[in-house]
Amino acid sequence: MQVGKVSVLILLLLTLQSCFIQPGESKPLNNYHLSFTAKVIRILDGDTMEVLYQDHPIKIRLAHIDCPEKRGHQPFGAKAKQALSDLCFGQMVSVQGQKYDRYKRLIAVVINQNKQVVNQEMIKLGMAWHFKKYSSDPLYARLEIKARKNKVGLWQDSSAVAPWVWRG
């Protein structure tokens, strides 16, 4: 008898929760839905994409990295956007969300259909910096050091300007 009451209570709570989801809001609103599979439908720049999840577009900002700016024509900005497109545009990807930023983008790690961690691949290709202001992950730091040492991508330019400096 007690199990029946608990089930009814859970159902009631879930029904009430659904009343507070505003129309047009992205589906993955809580931690239970931050990991999902979705199709990449748009590449905005080297570290931002849009995916389609349950018929809703969701903007994704790649965690751990920062790419040259497309706006303002920062060197390698367009190449970074193309590199991200080559890695995942049109694919079904695995999204491992962490949190939402102030622009309502989901900060996430994305894995493409080739099982590549897109965030890491962008650094390996020399198309991104490890964004140390928001990430202390030592793997991303090592990948950047290796790309710099091998002068891959933007590291061919010895005076490459970090995006956060460029924006400032």
Side-chain angles (χ1 to χ4, degrees):
M1 187 68 177
Q2 191 68 8
V3 174
K5 288 180 182 179
V6 171
S7 297
V8 170
L9 183 60
I10 290 172
L11 183 61
L12 179 62
L13 288 173
L14 290 173
T15 303
L16 284 173
Q17 180 186 13
S18 68
C19 294
F20 294 102
I21 297 174
Q22 299 297 315
E25 256 183 284
S26 297
K27 286 277 185 179
L29 294 174
N30 56 46
N31 291 336
Y32 300 113
H33 294 107
L34 289 180
S35 292
F36 55 93
T37 301
K39 184 173 184 172
V40 178
I41 58 171
R42 189 168 146 209
I43 304 295
L44 294 132
D45 61 24
D47 51 34
T48 310
M49 67 177 69
E50 195 169 65
V51 299
L52 191 63
Y53 173 68
Q54 295 184 349
D55 296 324
H56 294 278
I58 300 170
K59 282 190 182 167
I60 306 287
R61 171 67 166 77
L62 296 177
H64 305 289
I65 70 170
D66 199 6
C67 289
E69 294 296 322
K70 200 178 58 128
R71 262 188 224 146
H73 304 288
Q74 182 177 4
F76 283 89
K79 288 181 181 180
K81 178 182 178 183
Q82 184 60 53
L84 183 58
S85 180
D86 292 346
L87 283 167
C88 62
F89 181 73
Q91 294 182 23
M92 291 301 291
V93 296
S94 173
V95 177
Q96 298 170 354
Q98 298 173 351
K99 62 181 180 178
Y100 288 88
D101 69 7
R102 64 182 178 202
Y103 304 110
K104 298 182 180 177
R105 300 175 299 186
L106 180 61
I107 306 299
V109 171
V110 175
I111 301 168
N112 69 13
Q113 65 188 15
N114 296 326
K115 307 286 187 240
Q116 296 170 304
V117 178
V118 172
N119 313 50
Q120 294 171 12
E121 292 301 313
M122 290 298 288
I123 291 185
K124 289 178 188 178
L125 293 168
M127 293 294 145
W129 275 257
H130 174 213
F131 205 178
K132 294 178 184 131
K133 180 177 179 180
Y134 298 105
S135 168
S136 58
D137 190 313
L139 174 59
Y140 288 87
R142 287 193 304 271
L143 291 172
E144 181 184 313
I145 290 166
K146 185 175 180 181
R148 282 178 183 252
K149 180 182 170 190
N150 294 330
K151 297 186 186 303
V152 177
L154 64 91
W155 303 115
Q156 296 168 23
D157 180 358
S158 60
S159 60
V161 177
W164 52 90
V165 174
W166 183 270
R167 288 188 293 267

